[in-house]
Amino acid sequence: MTSIRENKLLGKVISFAFWMLVWYLCALKVGKELILPSPFAVLKSLGSLIVTSRFWIATAITIVRILSGYALGIVTAVLLAVMTCSNSLADAILSPVIRIVRSTPVASFIILAMLWMNRTAVPVLMSMLMVVPVVWENIVAQYQTTDSSLLEMARAYELSAWKKFRYIYVPSAFPGFLAGCMSAMGLAWKSGIAAEVLSQPTSAIGTDLYYAKIYLETPDLFAWTSVVIILSMCIEKIIRKLLFRGKTNESK
């Protein structure tokens, strides 16, 4: 096991070094920092950013906004899934709306939301809207594959609706819920940052990305982008651990 982990770590290091070398050579070939800064220029820019209070405030507020939208999206998706799976009328009314939300470009929602609400709330709403269809669809799909023999057993033993829900439907839908939550995290993060770029709320990573682009501060633009990528990877890992810890507890 130790050797496998070491090999995986070595592979990641080699991959990272390779792409950094490619980036450096491309920047060297271009020769214009305004178009493509070198990794060293970006690292220097990142170092100058992380020592400022503005960086940490913007990062913290962005994380809170997006995770708030993510959590609201999960709760909303679960409630909608319960409604649409348990009632055919609710399914007929709500399912088309959820599918429309899934198919509509996020930019359209951002522009509309900017007309209707305070700009600080736009990233939260966008993160939530991107989460709902993904989690809902995964739960519903898993619910529809519930083992029919378990349902027959429930009818034979005359289990109550609550017991069927608790001991049959919930365990059946839980893997879909986990998969949906993991898939939705990346969408929530990207849509939240995009919403910040367009709505430009006070103290936000997306706002600083926009200003870096406007003022042609390309190293800062790359530095902020690297922050977005690193945070996304770290948050996904944390959520994965939390969710699969919950799965382990559920199985117990």
Side-chain angles (χ1 to χ4, degrees), residues 8-227:
K8 284 184 177 180
L9 180 60
L10 180 61
K12 290 179 180 179
V13 170
I14 293 173
S15 176
F16 178 78
F18 171 77
W19 288 113
M20 288 299 102
L21 179 61
V22 170
W23 179 4
Y24 174 75
L25 292 176
C26 288
L28 201 63
K29 178 68 175 176
V30 172
K32 293 182 180 179
E33 192 174 273
L34 181 64
I35 297 174
L36 182 62
S38 70
F40 301 108
V42 174
L43 189 61
K44 180 180 177 182
S45 178
L46 182 60
S48 64
L49 285 174
I50 62 176
V51 296
T52 63
S53 59
R54 180 174 65 90
F55 171 86
W56 295 105
I57 292 171
T59 301
I61 292 176
T62 291
I63 291 173
V64 170
R65 284 194 184 111
I66 293 175
L67 289 184
S68 297
Y70 178 72
L72 287 172
I74 289 175
V75 172
T76 304
V78 170
L79 292 175
L80 289 174
V82 171
M83 292 170 64
T84 54
C85 290
S86 61
N87 188 286
S88 58
L89 179 59
D91 182 46
I93 293 172
L94 296 173
S95 294
V97 178
I98 300 172
R99 292 189 173 96
I100 289 171
V101 171
R102 182 189 60 189
S103 304
T104 304
V106 65
S108 300
F109 283 123
I110 295 171
I111 293 169
L112 289 172
M114 287 168 61
L115 297 174
W116 296 336
M117 61 176 54
N118 189 293
R119 61 183 180 175
T120 59
V122 174
V124 178
L125 178 63
M126 291 307 105
S127 297
M128 186 189 81
L129 285 178
M130 294 303 104
V131 169
V132 170
V134 176
V135 177
W136 172 84
E137 191 169 23
N138 275 270
I139 294 174
V140 171
Q142 203 72 34
Y143 166 84
Q144 292 171 346
T145 61
T146 302
D147 192 344
S148 57
S149 61
L150 292 176
L151 297 176
E152 289 177 7
M153 182 188 69
R155 283 193 292 271
Y157 285 96
E158 298 181 346
L159 295 183
S160 64
W162 166 249
K163 287 185 176 180
K164 284 195 289 185
F165 174 78
R166 173 66 182 84
Y167 295 108
I168 297 178
Y169 288 122
V170 169
S172 178
F174 196 65
F177 169 76
L178 289 179
C181 288
M182 289 309 306
S183 300
M185 182 63 245
L187 291 173
W189 186 256
K190 288 186 288 187
S191 60
I193 296 295
E196 287 186 343
V197 171
L198 291 179
S199 62
Q200 299 167 43
T202 305
S203 298
I205 290 176
T207 302
D208 285 303
L209 271 169
Y210 176 80
Y211 287 147
K213 176 255 183 185
I214 288 295
Y215 296 117
L216 301 178
E217 296 172 346
T218 311
D220 282 1
L221 181 62
F222 273 71
W224 279 113
T225 302
S226 66
V227 170

Side-chain angles (χ1 to χ4, degrees), residues 231-245:
L231 286 176
S232 177
M233 294 171 63
C234 292
I235 291 172
E236 282 191 17
K237 284 186 177 181
I238 292 170
I239 288 177
R240 180 183 294 274
K241 286 184 178 180
L242 292 174
L243 287 175
F244 282 91
R245 180 180 296 175

